[in-house]
Amino acid sequence: MSNHSTSASASRLRNHIASLQTMTRFVLATLALASGVYTYLGVRGLLDGSATLVFLGAIIYSVAVSVGIYGFWTYLIRFVPEMRDGASRIALFLIMIVGSVMIIAMSSWLNAAALAGSAAVEQHLATTQQEYTADLDQAHSNALGALSLLPDIQRAQERFARLAEDERASGALTGTSGSGSVVQLLTQMSAQMNELQATIEGSRERVQTLFEEGQLHLTAMRQLVSASGPVEPRANEFAQETVALSGVIASLEQTSIAPSVARAAQDLSMGFIAPVTSGADADLAGRQSTVMETVRASVAAQSAALSEAANEILAQPRVDERRFVPLSSAEAVLVYATSFLPSWAGAISIDLLPGVFVAVMAVVMAALRRNEDGLTDADRITAADMLRSIELHETLAAARAARQPAPAPEPEPEIAETPPAQPATNENVTPLSLNERKRFEP
């Protein structure tokens, strides 16, 4: 590239830089102002106290943030492009990174809170509502766990009742019909099973009532999550619903009949009371004793099966007590940051966009210096510079001449006055007078 083209390119770059100074200040001021406004909106939700105190505190903080951001980027956009050595430039870029982190810490997260704070709080409410729904379902499942034992208990009750009836009618067990000791024992076991069945079925209505009450609270919570309007009043009502729902879940946990079933199942074998044989002869009494031992073994097996099933129900994980923790908009944005990445990107871009201008100015100034380093002094001078130089030279010459004293006039040499020269006369020469001369025409 010729020196003329290089000089022209350098001149254009300098003209562009000079023409963009006002635009650069305007952009920096606008971005700093926007960041300050969103910072005010974000910090207002974190302050407590009277309305006046909250307003003044938020205004002072947002103004400080705006001024700090404007000053920080103004310094960098002036100094970074002027750095020629690599060490100074790297040092300033490291300072810019540290400053950017500080700006994110004091402003960007508050900007994100202003942009997506309400949505983040609503997501917190929705997540909490889902957790409480799972807790209610788990508590309801635990409370109804004992109902799964009803088929086994019903079969055992029916079997004991049928054997008692068969023994009474035809003597199916002892060979002798009638209402004897075996019939009494079988009837006793059937009655215990029937009582256990009634206890389990009686708990079903209570569990269903509590579950329906919990569903009503969950419905109210869902309505609060999806309702329109300010989120803070809705969050307060949501908290009240969570307290009521926690009470319902605790009641469901206490209503579970599984512990009672486990104890009743143990009582079947441990509390087994065999009646005295009622046979009139030894042979019948022996047969009755044999049948009652068989019934005892059957009751023990039934008791073990029910106890094992009840223990499996009791081994299911219990619902942990849950507490709803209200979050401010700024805290919710941090907790659910991954769900609001676009808002975070916009909030950070407002604060860090001037860094792009710093990089642009650094690249332009580097190109400008490369163009100017290959120019001679004559290539750097424009016609306007030359005219100004001539005018300046003439002004300096005139000023220098005005400061020097004028030289004293030299004395003129004295010239002796001599009389005018007289024409020399000669006695032998007779002067002629022109007037006396006569002209003769031929």
Side-chain angles (χ1 to χ4, degrees):
M1 183 181 293
S2 64
N3 289 345
H4 177 72
S5 299
T6 303
S7 176
S9 176
S11 177
R12 285 194 298 271
L13 288 177
R14 286 201 173 276
N15 292 335
H16 291 327
I17 292 174
S19 64
L20 291 176
Q21 290 295 325
T22 302
M23 185 62 184
T24 301
R25 296 190 188 96
F26 176 75
V27 172
L28 292 180
T30 302
L31 292 175
L33 178 61
S35 179
V37 171
Y38 283 104
T39 300
Y40 166 79
L41 297 176
V43 76
R44 189 177 56 182
L46 298 177
L47 300 179
D48 294 328
S50 63
T52 303
L53 181 62
V54 170
F55 173 76
L56 292 177
I59 282 292
I60 292 173
Y61 186 86
S62 60
V63 169
V65 167
S66 298
V67 174
I69 291 176
Y70 181 80
F72 175 75
W73 292 117
T74 299
Y75 290 167
L76 288 179
I77 208 169
R78 292 293 180 86
F79 294 141
V80 171
E82 297 296 335
M83 297 297 104
R84 291 179 176 269
D85 58 303
S88 299
R89 188 173 299 174
I90 292 174
L92 281 181
F93 273 112
L94 291 177
I95 293 173
M96 184 172 69
I97 292 174
V98 173
S100 299
V101 173
M102 296 174 67
I103 289 174
I104 293 174
M106 72 180 182
S107 175
S108 297
W109 71 288
L110 294 173
N111 296 346
L115 292 172
S118 298
V121 174
E122 288 180 352
Q123 179 166 347
H124 177 57
L125 298 182
T127 301
T128 304
Q129 181 260 324
Q130 293 174 0
E131 293 172 350
Y132 273 99
T133 301
D135 290 347
L136 180 62
D137 292 339
Q138 181 64 37
H140 183 241
S141 177
N142 292 343
L144 294 179
L147 294 176
S148 63
L149 302 177
L150 276 178
D152 296 334
I153 295 174
Q154 289 175 349
R155 284 193 299 269
Q157 184 269 334
E158 292 173 356
R159 182 163 58 90
F160 285 130
R162 185 175 60 253
L163 289 174
E165 183 63 26
D166 291 344
E167 175 65 16
R168 181 184 298 109
S170 61
L173 298 178
T174 61
T176 303
S177 62
S179 180
S181 299
V182 174
V183 173
Q184 293 177 3
L185 178 59
L186 292 173
T187 303
Q188 174 190 343
M189 292 297 101
S190 176
Q192 290 183 1
M193 290 294 181
N194 194 21
E195 291 176 359
L196 184 57
Q197 177 183 348
T199 302
I200 295 175
E201 289 178 345
S203 67
R204 177 184 296 177
E205 183 178 354
R206 172 64 176 166
V207 171
Q208 185 64 27
T209 301
L210 290 174
F211 182 71
E212 291 176 356
E213 182 181 352
Q215 288 288 349
L216 292 177
H217 291 298
L218 286 176
T219 301
M221 292 165 64
R222 282 191 290 267
Q223 291 175 352
L224 290 173
V225 171
S226 60
S228 59
V231 71
E232 293 182 2
R234 289 187 283 140
N236 294 333
E237 296 181 15
F238 187 91
Q240 296 175 2
E241 295 293 337
T242 59
V243 172
L245 182 57
S246 297
V248 173
I249 293 174
S251 299
L252 278 174
E253 288 288 300
Q254 297 172 1
T255 307
S256 176
I257 201 66
S260 177
V261 172
R263 291 190 297 268
Q266 293 175 359
D267 290 341
L268 288 176
S269 60
M270 296 177 60
F272 183 84
I273 301 175
V276 178
T277 57
S278 60
D281 56 7
D283 182 51
L284 180 58
R287 291 197 306 270
Q288 288 179 342
S289 297
T290 302
V291 172
M292 284 189 289
E293 287 298 327
T294 303
V295 173
R296 179 192 293 271
S298 176
V299 170
Q302 188 67 46
S303 174
L306 289 176
S307 297
E308 182 180 358
N311 290 330
E312 289 179 358
I313 295 173
L314 292 174
Q316 292 179 355
R318 296 182 62 85
V319 178
D320 296 330
E321 182 180 359
R322 188 182 302 279
R323 291 183 178 180
F324 171 66
V325 180
L327 297 178
S328 65
S329 59
E331 294 170 336
V333 166
L334 292 177
V335 173
Y336 300 97
T338 55
S339 300
F340 298 96
L341 293 179
S343 299
W344 272 96
I348 294 176
S349 297
I350 291 176
D351 292 334
L352 302 188
L353 181 59
V356 178
F357 299 156
V358 174
V360 169
M361 289 297 296
V363 172
V364 172
M365 289 299 294
L368 179 61
R369 284 193 292 267
R370 286 194 301 270
N371 290 337
E372 291 182 344
D373 288 343
L375 299 178
T376 61
D377 293 338
D379 295 327
R380 298 173 187 269
I381 298 176
T382 63
D385 294 335
M386 186 176 296
L387 292 176
R388 285 193 293 269
S389 298
I390 294 174
E391 293 177 358
L392 180 61
H393 174 72
E394 294 177 351
T395 302
L396 292 177
R400 189 181 299 110
R403 286 195 300 268
Q404 291 180 356
E410 295 182 1
E412 296 180 358
E414 294 182 358
I415 301 175
E417 294 182 0
T418 55
Q422 297 291 332
T425 57
N426 194 344
E427 294 180 354
N428 296 324
V429 177
T430 301
L432 295 176
S433 173
L434 296 177
N435 295 328
E436 295 179 354
R437 208 176 155 185
K438 295 182 180 180
R439 182 178 178 182
F440 297 97
E441 297 291 334

